[in-house]
Amino acid sequence: MADNQNRNGVAHDNGSHEEHFREKHLMLDPMPRGKMNEMVMDAMHTTSWKFWLVFGMLAALVAYALFYKWGVMILEGLGVAGVNRPAYWGIFLVNTVFWIGISHAGTFISAILRVFKAEYRRPFTRAAELMTTFGLIQAGFSIFMHMGRVWLSYWLMPIPNQRELWPNFHSPLSWDLLAITTYLLGSTMYLFLPLIPDLAMARDRSDGWRKTFYKVLALGFRGTEGEWVHLRNAMNIFAFAIIPVMFSVHTIVSWDFAMATRPGWSSTVFGPYFVIGALHSGMGAVVMVLAVVRGTMKNMKYFIRPEHFEAIGKLMLIISMSWGYFFFNDYLVQWYGGDKWTKQLLHWHEAGPMGWMWFAMLLFNVVIPWGVLWNRKWRSMPWLLFTVGLLINVGMWFERYIIIPISLTINRMPFTWRLYEPGIEVWLGIGTLAFFILLYMAASKLIPLIPVWEVQEGQMAHSLKKFGRETVVTVSELE
Amino acid sequence: MTAEEKSILAVFADIDPAADAIEQLRLLGVHDDCMNVISGIPVTEAMLGRPSQWTNVPRLALGGAIAGFLVGVFLSFITPDMYTILVGGQPFTPVPPAVIVVFEMTMLGMLLSTFLGVFLDSYFPSYRPMKYIPEISDGKIAILIECPPPDEQKVTDLLKKLGAESVQLTEAQHL
């Protein structure tokens, strides 16, 4: 084989081959740290009129759909919502499960990929972690809406009431409170710790109110040996500890349903099925966020490249297959179980008036992802991944809608059968979505979305090495 | 050393010259305790030939996990006995649901104490004046040296010879 041919016999010279690597991989395309800092700060400070237009519209939508409508519901009572016998759990709970699902991808991407030292994670861990915190806030809103008398929500807290009774810790709803609180606090702290060095970087490059803002949040971080050691240790502990918490949260959410002896809900596979479903929608949301950040924010094309979409696309494909497996497992066992009511329910899912949703769910969650993501070229296209991510999220929302209000329609008392018709909760759901995007937009202008120090660390660890005629990428273990 | 006293701050562009400088400073008689490395990315002690840094974070995490475990045990096993109501003949303190409560509280205790551990060990938040230059967050590596005034010139010359980008006497200032 000639010197300038690779093992596939394709002619190239080493210079262009290395250039190709650099174009493709962020870790092999280093820039001076100062330049990267400048790019990230520039991305935060550059705000077009379009941004403010969208921001203003979302703020108005949040004010109307979330706060005004919620106020109406508090004043009028839960009667303005569509929840009624037999579907007492409607869109509020659908949204709760949906938002907790969205929150899973942040931890999955950040913690699991950190533990397994997947290097491609570096530029987008923070963008994913932000989704966790903001998603959990929306999940919290949805639960409080579902409560109706939200001012009594402190009854869930582990404090005794006036009759000296403590909350019932044998109830999945109490487990929910403990798990979601742990996850919200844990993921917020996990977001904040690696952010401290970047806040210090922003402090060093800001003035006016921003300087004060970053100075307070950076806590006086300078980057001494001790500070890095404490931070590193804490981040490692968090990366390992937050993973079981993440799994526990959605498992416990699934037990809200599975612990009941209702047809369609009482399933031992619900725990892992919900966890995989959460990752499915969460990964779809991450890829959407990354595509928007890359497409709309200045300098982001350098940090977020097709290689990242390609890598996340592979994960999405695996997760989509796993979701298909668990869905089939859950379906098959219940169908084979032979319980008359469960069979009727499963038939109702696909042949009832909401059957279109059941088929759309399978189309969006399985058929389209499998059809697109197997192809490396396709899964490297940000706009295509955005579309697939969007469809997966619609499909996963449908899945939760089928599990909750549609499954509640059919029960063992036929005289109560009635199709759920949502009321004010549609507006409230739109409000949570708008609030999530609004928070994300605000955060994108206030905190560095790219963990610059982690990117620089990764770039230091990567190099090209020649083995015979082939140039390959090598990674050093710096920790 | 008080905040008003000055220290020598040498800035290096890379790890290798910084590691060489630390070694030479040690040979010159500057003790490790009189040096501190400040960097924009985590550089391990092994890379710089520095003694290992002590951290209490893992111990605090363990302590927090134990405290959280005890809170979980209290909530699961003690509170039901404080005002007993028999419901359908069910046991007051069944173990399987208690496992969930104990697990969540243990993890919460561990995560909170780990987070607080960083604050305690790093003396965060600290808004008093400190010796620092903003170039460090541009990826530079700085060595902060506390040495007696008679040795300052000798140390400065050595650091310049070893490739320091800048060597300056610095005093604490607001970040």
Side-chain angles (χ1 to χ4, degrees):
Chain A
M1 196 184 284
D3 276 5
N4 61 346
Q5 286 186 336
N6 66 12
R7 67 166 70 117
N8 299 320
V10 179
H12 65 267
D13 63 74
N14 287 326
S16 69
H17 195 50
E18 288 180 16
E19 192 56 38
H20 168 72
F21 270 120
R22 290 208 170 83
E23 270 174 29
K24 202 173 163 194
H25 301 292
L26 171 66
M27 292 298 123
L28 295 169
D29 188 18
M31 271 196 191
R33 171 69 181 275
K35 175 75 179 159
M36 286 198 287
N37 288 341
E38 207 176 282
M39 288 164 74
V40 170
M41 293 300 290
D42 203 21
M44 277 202 297
H45 293 162
T46 308
T47 311
S48 68
W49 64 269
K50 287 178 201 160
F51 176 91
W52 288 117
L53 180 68
V54 175
F55 193 85
M57 286 163 63
L58 284 169
L61 194 56
V62 168
Y64 177 75
L66 186 61
F67 295 111
Y68 170 70
K69 287 290 183 184
W70 196 358
V72 168
M73 193 172 77
I74 288 170
L75 286 173
E76 300 287 329
L78 266 178
V80 293
V83 282
N84 208 331
R85 194 175 70 170
Y88 288 115
W89 288 10
I91 284 182
F92 297 130
L93 266 296
V94 172
N95 286 342
T96 303
V97 179
F98 176 78
W99 284 116
I100 292 176
I102 294 288
S103 76
H104 267 49
T107 305
F108 179 79
I109 280 191
S110 184
I112 292 186
L113 298 187
R114 192 188 295 274
V115 166
F116 287 108
K117 300 186 191 304
E119 291 292 320
Y120 61 81
R121 75 175 195 279
R122 288 182 184 272
F124 58 79
T125 48
R126 184 158 307 139
E129 286 161 10
L130 271 175
M131 275 182 33
T132 298
T133 303
F134 294 156
L136 283 171
I137 290 170
Q138 309 316 319
F141 272 129
S142 303
I143 291 176
F144 287 135
M145 290 168 193
H146 176 74
M147 280 177 186
R149 292 184 294 167
V150 68
W151 55 93
L152 298 178
S153 52
Y154 71 93
W155 283 4
L156 274 170
M157 299 300 287
I159 46 171
N161 62 25
Q162 67 271 29
R163 290 200 297 148
E164 294 178 19
L165 281 171
W166 288 67
N168 181 3
F169 295 107
H170 309 167
S171 157
L173 297 179
S174 277
W175 307 340
D176 258 345
L177 177 81
L178 296 178
I180 294 173
T181 306
T182 301
Y183 191 47
L184 178 62
L185 288 173
S187 55
T188 306
M189 291 185 284
Y190 187 52
L191 165 72
F192 184 68
L193 285 177
L195 183 59
I196 295 172
D198 288 313
L199 290 168
M201 177 276 287
R203 172 199 64 203
D204 295 345
R205 275 155 200 80
S206 304
D207 45 31
W209 68 268
R210 278 184 184 266
K211 174 98 179 168
T212 311
F213 177 73
Y214 295 126
K215 185 180 169 180
V216 170
L217 287 180
L219 308 168
F221 181 88
R222 287 183 295 163
T224 62
E225 293 165 295
E227 286 169 351
W228 280 118
V229 168
H230 307 319
L231 201 59
R232 261 255 145 90
N233 268 282
M235 280 164 58
N236 284 337
I237 292 170
F238 263 88
F240 279 93
I242 201 90
I243 294 168
V245 174
M246 175 195 85
F247 279 96
S248 77
V249 173
H250 225 61
T251 306
I252 288 172
V253 168
S254 84
W255 288 341
D256 290 342
F257 308 95
M259 290 289 174
T261 53
R262 288 194 69 91
W265 282 7
S266 184
S267 161
T268 55
V269 85
F270 251 35
Y273 174 46
F274 266 53
V275 171
I276 283 292
L279 293 177
H280 200 21
S281 57
M283 296 299 285
V286 166
V287 93
M288 287 169 69
V289 165
L290 291 185
V292 172
V293 166
R294 179 184 146 90
T296 58
M297 285 183 76
K298 205 174 170 188
N299 301 325
M300 287 298 130
K301 285 191 174 66
Y302 169 75
F303 293 104
I304 301 166
R305 303 183 179 201
E307 61 160 329
H308 300 117
F309 291 93
E310 203 270 321
I312 299 175
K314 264 192 277 192
L315 281 175
M316 287 166 73
L317 180 61
I318 293 166
I319 290 168
S320 175
M321 288 175 167
S322 308
W323 183 86
Y325 161 76
F326 277 107
F327 174 80
F328 181 68
N329 193 326
D330 182 52
Y331 187 92
L332 186 75
V333 171
Q334 302 230 23
W335 174 73
Y336 227 71
D339 174 65
K340 177 178 143 187
W341 301 102
T342 306
K343 274 195 152 181
Q344 189 145 7
L345 177 69
L346 294 180
H347 181 65
W348 167 260
H349 279 174
E350 56 187 291
M354 302 300 280
W356 62 271
M357 195 178 260
W358 191 85
F359 286 103
M361 169 188 76
L362 290 179
L363 180 71
F364 295 162
N365 288 343
V366 176
V367 179
I368 292 174
W370 293 14
V372 172
L373 298 173
W374 66 271
N375 185 301
R376 179 192 287 240
K377 195 176 164 191
W378 292 347
R379 68 172 179 258
S380 303
M381 296 177 180
W383 70 269
L384 191 54
L385 266 275
F386 176 90
T387 310
V388 173
L390 179 64
L391 291 177
I392 287 173
N393 271 288
V394 173
M396 285 308 299
W397 194 88
F398 284 173
E399 187 236 34
R400 278 81 180 237
Y401 195 92
I402 290 165
I403 289 175
I404 303 171
I406 293 184
S407 293
L408 286 172
T409 309
I410 300 275
N411 56 31
R412 295 190 174 96
M413 295 182 288
F415 68 94
T416 66
W417 290 5
R418 178 180 156 269
L419 194 62
Y420 168 63
E421 289 168 18
I424 203 168
E425 55 266 54
V426 175
W427 276 113
L428 292 165
I430 292 169
T432 57
L433 177 64
F435 196 39
F436 175 83
I437 301 171
L438 189 74
L439 285 175
Y440 211 101
M441 287 179 77
S444 73
K445 296 296 162 193
L446 287 173
I447 64 169
L449 275 190
I450 304 292
V452 191
W453 68 270
E454 288 198 72
V455 171
Q456 193 201 355
E457 190 188 34
Q459 290 179 335
M460 279 172 60
H462 283 70
S463 59
L464 289 171
K465 191 173 178 183
K466 281 201 77 176
F467 283 94
R469 302 283 181 269
E470 182 80 327
T471 307
V472 296
V473 182
T474 60
V475 189
S476 311
E477 182 101 34
L478 293 185
E479 284 183 47
Chain B
M1 181 175 256
T2 62
E4 289 74 33
E5 286 182 60
K6 292 186 176 181
S7 303
I8 295 173
L9 188 84
V11 179
F12 293 87
D14 215 343
I15 296 172
D16 289 342
D20 290 342
I22 288 165
E23 197 178 341
Q24 293 300 318
L25 285 168
R26 209 178 283 130
L27 290 174
L28 201 68
V30 180
H31 195 267
D32 270 313
D33 291 345
C34 298
M35 288 186 259
N36 198 354
V37 178
I38 311 178
S39 57
I41 56 161
V43 183
T44 63
E45 302 98 318
M47 287 178 199
L48 294 167
R50 296 269 292 152
S52 289
Q53 291 286 318
W54 177 260
T55 178
N56 288 306
V57 171
R59 286 159 201 80
L60 288 165
L62 184 64
I66 293 167
F69 177 85
L70 294 174
V71 170
V73 168
F74 169 76
L75 293 175
S76 315
F77 293 107
I78 311 293
T79 61
D81 280 325
M82 290 175 140
Y83 188 93
T84 50
I85 298 178
L86 195 63
V87 180
Q90 291 177 12
F92 284 122
T93 53
V95 173
V99 169
I100 297 159
V101 176
V102 170
F103 169 79
E104 293 299 339
M105 296 316 292
T106 305
M107 298 313 279
L108 181 60
M110 183 200 277
L111 295 173
L112 281 173
S113 59
T114 303
F115 188 70
L116 291 176
V118 176
F119 278 63
L120 289 173
D121 268 6
S122 305
Y123 303 105
F124 287 158
S126 171
Y127 301 116
R128 58 197 164 77
M130 281 185 274
K131 286 159 186 162
Y132 179 76
I133 52 168
E135 286 78 8
I136 291 167
S137 57
D138 272 342
K140 309 284 185 192
I141 298 173
I143 306 174
L144 194 64
I145 305 133
E146 291 165 8
C147 63
D151 293 341
E152 277 173 4
Q153 193 55 49
K154 201 165 50 173
V155 169
T156 304
D157 292 344
L158 176 75
L159 291 165
K160 280 182 179 164
K161 202 174 113 191
L162 289 167
E165 283 187 350
S166 72
V167 183
Q168 54 187 285
L169 274 176
T170 183
E171 56 187 6
Q173 52 194 327
H174 284 286
L175 300 182

